[in-house]
Amino acid sequence: VKLRRNQQINLQGLRELSNRTRLRWLASAKAAEAKGKLETYLRTFPLETGKERRQLVAVGMTDDTIAGLVKARDELLAPDRFAGTDQWVHEFRERFQSKLDAVAAERVAYWAKRTGVVTALAPNALVDGASTVYFGFAMLADLCRVYNLRAGRTGTAVLLGRVFFNAYLAGQLTEWEKLTEDQLNALMAPHGPLYELTAAKMLSKVGAKATTGVLNYFLLSRLGKFGCRLLRPVT
């Protein structure tokens, strides 16, 4: 809640404006405004104190990554270092934002894997739904900390909706587990093609639960990728 709301910079929109001769002055003004917002973002990004760095380490940043962010920030804020606004924004994306994107992708993968494993081992739909909600919120909190931004009102509403929708699907997957298990049992029944397997019943249950875990993994992964798109300073 304390983080600043993300005001995303859309480079495609700026390029379209610049292609229209009569609106080039507006594109130039918007580009300068965008650069000013990004400079403020760099100045306020928490990289200075030990507490701030520990918070970044807690969401998966290494000391090398933090050092790279500090170096990129200092060079981007150096006056008259770049030829123009377009080059500056390009360098911001390549040298600063790309490092945040890499850390964010790792956090998405981390929470998606945990969701997959827990839901694959969970005994019932209640545990599936509760764990999916918890991991979804934990992942989004980490992404907000990585980018040091929060989504706008509409983006936040969409993210919340997706978290609870994922939880609903996680609960429904328990019903699908029964169907999957029945189908596997049919294959392993007497005279079935897999009857020779000695652990047929166990394999049918493991296969059904594994399917649930994989589906929940992909659901949370999609949520994380969508959250990253909303939180990137430049899109």
Side-chain angles (χ1 to χ4, degrees):
V1 174
K2 294 181 180 179
L3 297 175
R4 294 187 302 110
R5 183 173 63 86
N6 185 20
Q7 296 177 308
Q8 230 169 26
I9 309 301
N10 192 328
L11 292 184
Q12 183 62 32
L14 295 178
R15 292 191 185 99
E16 291 176 358
L17 283 175
S18 65
N19 291 333
R20 305 175 188 178
T21 304
R22 64 188 182 86
L23 293 178
R24 282 181 180 172
W25 65 270
L26 177 60
S28 178
K30 288 292 184 181
E33 180 184 356
K35 181 183 176 184
K37 290 180 179 179
L38 292 176
E39 287 176 337
T40 301
Y41 174 73
L42 288 172
R43 292 190 183 97
T44 57
F45 200 90
L47 292 168
E48 300 301 331
T49 67
K51 180 181 179 181
E52 292 172 340
R53 295 194 176 201
R54 285 193 296 272
Q55 290 176 340
L56 295 177
V57 170
V59 294
M61 285 196 190
T62 63
D63 292 335
D64 290 341
T65 301
I66 295 174
L69 290 173
V70 172
K71 181 180 178 181
R73 179 201 61 185
D74 293 343
E75 292 178 353
L76 287 166
L77 292 177
D80 303 325
R81 184 180 179 87
F82 300 97
T85 301
D86 289 342
Q87 183 187 3
W88 190 94
V89 174
H90 174 77
E91 292 297 321
F92 173 86
R93 293 182 69 179
E94 294 297 319
R95 302 173 62 181
F96 194 90
Q97 182 173 293
S98 63
K99 291 182 173 61
L100 302 182
D101 289 340
V103 175
E106 291 177 358
R107 297 312 292 172
V108 171
Y110 169 79
W111 288 112
K113 289 175 183 177
R114 291 199 67 179
T115 302
V117 171
V118 171
T119 55
L121 299 176
N124 54 54
L126 178 62
V127 177
D128 282 354
S131 59
T132 301
V133 169
Y134 173 78
F135 291 139
F137 279 119
M139 179 185 67
L140 293 177
D142 281 359
L143 294 180
C144 288
R145 179 60 61 193
V146 168
Y147 288 103
N148 195 44
L149 291 169
R150 60 180 174 85
R153 292 179 180 177
T154 302
T156 300
V158 173
L159 287 173
L160 291 176
R162 288 198 174 199
V163 169
F164 289 112
F165 182 68
N166 284 1
Y168 168 77
L169 286 181
Q172 295 302 308
L173 289 176
T174 304
E175 299 297 327
W176 300 349
E177 284 176 20
K178 180 62 177 174
L179 177 61
T180 303
E181 184 178 343
D182 290 343
Q183 295 299 319
L184 292 173
N185 282 333
L187 289 175
M188 299 169 185
H191 310 298
L194 299 180
Y195 180 64
E196 292 79 5
L197 295 177
T198 58
K201 290 290 185 180
M202 181 179 298
L203 286 175
S204 66
K205 288 185 176 294
V206 170
K209 294 300 291 182
T211 301
T212 299
V214 170
L215 290 174
N216 282 312
Y217 168 86
F218 283 112
L219 285 173
L220 203 75
S221 181
R222 285 193 62 192
L223 173 64
K225 292 175 181 178
F226 181 74
C228 290
R229 290 201 298 270
L230 287 181
L231 292 170
R232 288 188 184 106
V234 177
T235 181

